[in-house]
Amino acid sequence: MALASFGNDKFLSSARRICHYDKVAKSIEIQAGYFNFENYNKKTFNENFTNTFGFPDVVDLKPEKLWNSNLCNVILSFQRAIEECVLELLDSILQKNEFINENIQIACGGGVFHNSVLVGKLIKKYGVDIFVPPCPGDLGSSIGAVNFGLLSQGKEPLFEMSPFLGPVADDLGS
């Protein structure tokens, strides 16, 4: 995320095609054909990715080499696309649960919320208290933190929450 500050969003439309919020499915969709998610011993991106965005053009992370580099332009473009997805997802959740006009508090967890730009956009858009734990992590601890906060306030915990936002796996091969 820090490298995004050195780039421009010239690849934003491509990043949006690869990472977008599907309003019908009400989920964030990632076009897996650009990544090597299934093979952890390879680079995380594949030939489709490099054909779309080119190769990272910087290996020496000195600031003077980073300005508007291909690497930073890709990073910023994906950061913006992900921010848009999170904002649309949150809108969908709040509207579905009719919380949009109430005095609400939002607790955010997961590595994406290390992005202070995104958190700032959430605060600006919703004008509500946003809670991001010091180490939001990606291990589902945010759900426990939300429920702890609710219990501390004498409220009922949320039982319908899941840390998993991806597709449901029918068979995990056990």
Side-chain angles (χ1 to χ4, degrees):
M1 286 175 283
L3 293 177
S5 63
F6 290 96
N8 66 54
D9 62 1
K10 77 182 224 175
F11 295 116
L12 183 55
S13 62
S14 295
R16 284 177 176 150
R17 281 193 306 276
I18 294 169
C19 175
H20 66 278
Y21 180 74
D22 183 328
K23 292 178 183 182
V24 175
K26 296 190 185 288
S27 65
I28 295 174
E29 302 289 326
I30 306 282
Q31 302 300 318
Y34 291 84
F35 306 98
N36 290 319
F37 290 138
E38 73 286 343
N39 198 338
Y40 62 87
N41 62 349
K42 290 186 176 180
K43 293 183 294 189
T44 56
F45 56 91
N46 62 28
E47 187 176 345
N48 291 335
F49 190 92
T50 55
N51 287 342
T52 302
F53 300 106
F55 288 98
D57 56 345
V58 178
V59 291
D60 183 1
L61 300 181
K62 292 182 179 173
E64 62 272 11
K65 294 185 178 186
L66 292 172
W67 290 110
N68 291 315
S69 65
N70 194 51
L71 173 69
C72 295
N73 294 341
V74 170
I75 291 170
L76 176 62
S77 297
F78 272 97
Q79 179 172 317
R80 293 247 169 98
I82 291 167
E83 289 167 359
E84 291 170 4
C85 288
V86 169
L87 289 165
E88 288 186 73
L89 177 64
L90 192 52
D91 278 345
S92 171
I93 291 168
L94 293 173
Q95 289 170 358
K96 177 181 118 183
N97 292 297
E98 299 177 4
F99 290 131
I100 204 75
N101 294 320
E102 293 185 22
N103 183 18
I104 61 171
Q105 296 175 327
I106 300 173
C108 304
V112 74
F113 292 103
H114 284 277
N115 179 344
S116 58
V117 172
L118 172 59
V119 173
K121 287 179 179 181
L122 291 172
I123 291 168
K124 183 177 181 181
K125 180 169 185 170
Y126 297 109
V128 299
D129 293 335
I130 306 284
F131 173 69
V132 180
C135 183
D138 287 328
L139 300 175
S141 60
S142 59
I143 292 172
V146 167
N147 280 327
F148 176 77
L150 290 170
L151 289 169
S152 297
Q153 296 175 12
K155 297 178 180 177
E156 289 293 315
L158 302 172
F159 294 105
E160 295 180 17
M161 295 178 72
S162 169
F164 185 68
L165 298 176
V168 177
D170 294 329
D171 181 7
L172 296 176
S174 54

